[in-house]
Amino acid sequence: AYGLYHSRFHFSRSRRLSREEDEAALDPVATTARMEKAQADADFYARQGNFAEAMHVLLLQSVAEMRLRLDVSIAASLTSREILQHIELSPEARNGFSDIISRVEVCYFGCQEAQEDDYRACRRSFEALKLALGGGAAS
């Protein structure tokens, strides 16, 4: 009983901090910063000619951002297609995410080497998704 009594402040504080961290993560400025960081990372890979990895970075950040922005739980075992089927998205977000998935799948599973045009299209779809998720204006 003594331990629980003294722990109540810790538990209460940790829940409050978690809620504050969650709210900070949903801030449009934070969303934009995270998505722009992913774009910069993807651009880095693309400049090196590693277009498949660049596209994969955008896909992974798309999923991470949807987890946060839409407050959904996404099992790590789900494929991108399964995620697309189970998450409610606006038509704009759905189109952007679907295009990213399709382009990454072709490169990873279709034995087709990613080209710069594939990356540029994927990047445009990521911009559309960013805008649809409330992550700022497309740049």
Side-chain angles (χ1 to χ4, degrees):
Y2 177 78
L4 287 176
Y5 175 77
H6 288 289
S7 297
R8 73 179 172 22
F9 297 110
H10 172 72
F11 290 131
S12 174
R13 183 174 182 275
S14 67
R15 281 194 304 267
R16 188 173 58 248
L17 288 175
S18 177
R19 187 171 48 248
E20 290 169 1
E21 290 169 357
D22 290 345
E23 290 170 3
L26 295 177
D27 177 52
V29 174
T31 298
T32 300
R34 283 189 306 272
M35 294 186 89
E36 286 178 356
K37 166 82 168 81
Q39 288 172 307
D41 292 346
D43 288 346
F44 172 78
Y45 287 117
R47 281 192 303 274
Q48 294 179 344
N50 193 346
F51 301 113
E53 185 61 27
M55 293 162 56
H56 195 236
V57 165
L58 297 178
L59 175 63
L60 293 177
Q61 186 60 40
S62 297
V63 172
E65 213 49 55
M66 285 187 289
R67 263 190 189 110
L68 285 171
R69 299 290 303 167
L70 304 177
D71 193 28
V72 293
S73 177
I74 300 173
S77 61
L78 292 178
T79 66
S80 299
R81 290 273 167 207
E82 290 170 328
I83 294 168
L84 184 61
Q85 287 177 336
H86 293 97
I87 291 182
E88 289 186 39
L89 294 169
S90 69
E92 297 82 12
R94 182 169 298 284
N95 290 339
F97 187 50
S98 178
D99 185 58
I100 294 168
I101 291 169
S102 297
R103 292 177 186 283
V104 170
E105 283 178 342
V106 168
C107 296
Y108 273 83
F109 306 114
C111 299
Q112 179 180 331
E113 189 172 326
Q115 302 298 317
E116 185 174 0
D117 289 343
D118 299 317
Y119 172 67
R120 289 186 188 280
C122 198
R123 183 90 157 50
R124 283 190 300 274
S125 293
F126 187 80
E127 288 282 347
L129 178 64
K130 179 172 81 170
L131 187 59
L133 291 177
S139 56

